[in-house]
Amino acid sequence: NSEAKADDAMSPLTSLLSPNKLGKARSESLADVVAFAAAATATHIGEVEKEAAAAGVDSVLQVTMSQGWCAGNVCPAIYGALQVGVDTSEGLRSHRVPIPHGLVLCIFVPDRKDEGKPLSSDHVDRKSAIFNVGRSALLINCFVTEDFSKFPRASSDALAKDTVLSQFPYIEAVSDAALAAGASGAVPCGYGPSVMALIPGRTGDVLAQSASGHLEIEVAKAMVKKAQEKGISGQILIAKPADVGAHVLAEKSQLGAQDDCAR
């Protein structure tokens, strides 16, 4: 739970409720951008949004990006699912990539680890950049075709891998353990320190059904065991992708006469 207050001219105090279990210390940029996106969603209905709507752009996306956030966090925080952000002359545009039903995520979150630092240079090697662009296309293909057999190759990274592993050497071993246990892929969350494993093909609601006998449990155990062997303690979160981003939920009004039967 948190609260955010926009300019007095825009809105009153707005309360935010987030089901995100990742504490701010464990995923600072993600937690912050979700909170900011929720605040913008709840408060940006004034003159700024009217001007943006007239210009044909998404005001929430543009205002959030103007605060200096990374598009990789902003787009899914606002729209949910898997998003591809594209810079245009009219601002950032976000395009949805479909996520197959039944995809489960096993996320290893280490204790007392700060978020990894990104690449220190704005300039990258041409060969590495071309490699990553090609892998990005293959990654999108995995989701569109629902064929995750190519995911380990699609998630190969020639740009950030060395930076990530230099800060969190255990990530590679934990990822390999997830793959050996049956996951279709495993990657760092951003620049670390968390590791996410993907398990497609799940039926039913992962959050409502019994956890016994599920592949994700075996993957989770393997990730935790390997991390402990490397001297890293942590916890596992088993989740599924959210189809929507930050959004406004209606609640029973506290105004007027109390009515216990009202909904």
Side-chain angles (χ1 to χ4, degrees):
N1 294 313
S2 60
E3 292 184 339
K5 187 172 183 181
D7 295 338
D8 292 339
M10 295 176 60
S11 80
L13 187 67
T14 302
S15 295
L16 306 177
L17 174 64
S18 172
N20 180 18
K21 293 183 179 180
L22 288 178
K24 184 174 180 181
R26 289 181 177 142
S27 185
E28 183 171 356
S29 64
L30 180 58
D32 284 353
V33 75
V34 169
F36 186 88
T41 302
T43 62
H44 240 68
I45 313 178
E47 294 302 321
V48 174
E49 185 176 61
K50 292 179 181 178
E51 294 176 3
V57 297
D58 185 321
S59 63
V60 176
L61 176 60
Q62 308 311 322
V63 169
T64 310
M65 285 299 298
S66 70
Q67 305 301 309
W69 297 110
C70 170
N73 287 336
V74 169
C75 295
I78 294 177
Y79 300 112
L82 178 62
Q83 300 288 331
V84 178
V86 180
D87 276 321
T88 72
S89 58
E90 298 178 342
L92 186 74
R93 300 294 190 183
S94 188
H95 300 271
R96 175 182 289 261
V97 176
I99 292 182
H101 176 72
L103 182 64
V104 176
L105 310 175
C106 285
I107 308 172
F108 172 73
V109 184
D111 295 329
R112 298 179 296 276
K113 291 285 187 181
D114 293 330
E115 186 177 9
K117 297 179 181 179
L119 293 172
S120 58
S121 175
D122 294 332
H123 300 282
V124 297
D125 176 68
R126 183 188 297 272
K127 182 178 180 180
S128 299
I130 293 174
F131 178 92
N132 271 35
V133 169
R135 290 302 187 271
S136 297
L138 185 59
L139 181 65
I140 294 173
N141 181 266
C142 290
F143 284 89
V144 172
T145 63
E146 301 187 16
D147 179 6
F148 285 85
S149 62
K150 302 181 183 67
F151 187 87
R153 180 178 297 179
S155 57
S156 299
D157 179 23
L159 292 176
K161 181 178 179 179
D162 291 342
T163 299
V164 172
L165 294 182
S166 67
Q167 300 175 80
F168 311 107
Y170 62 85
I171 284 183
E172 188 167 32
V174 172
S175 299
D176 290 343
L179 294 174
S184 293
V187 294
C189 294
Y191 288 93
S194 300
V195 185
M196 179 177 68
L198 283 76
I199 304 171
R202 182 74 149 75
T203 58
D205 188 346
V206 64
L207 301 182
Q209 297 183 3
S210 169
S212 61
H214 294 157
L215 177 58
E216 59 265 23
I217 299 300
E218 298 304 316
V219 172
K221 290 179 179 179
M223 296 173 75
V224 170
K225 180 180 179 181
K226 182 56 67 174
Q228 291 176 342
E229 291 176 0
K230 298 294 182 179
I232 305 297
S233 62
Q235 62 175 313
I236 286 286
L237 300 179
I238 298 179
K240 59 181 181 179
D243 194 53
V244 295
H247 54 285
V248 178
L249 297 176
E251 289 188 350
K252 182 178 177 181
S253 174
Q254 300 300 317
L255 301 178
Q258 297 297 315
D259 182 0
D260 294 334
C261 296
R263 294 290 186 268

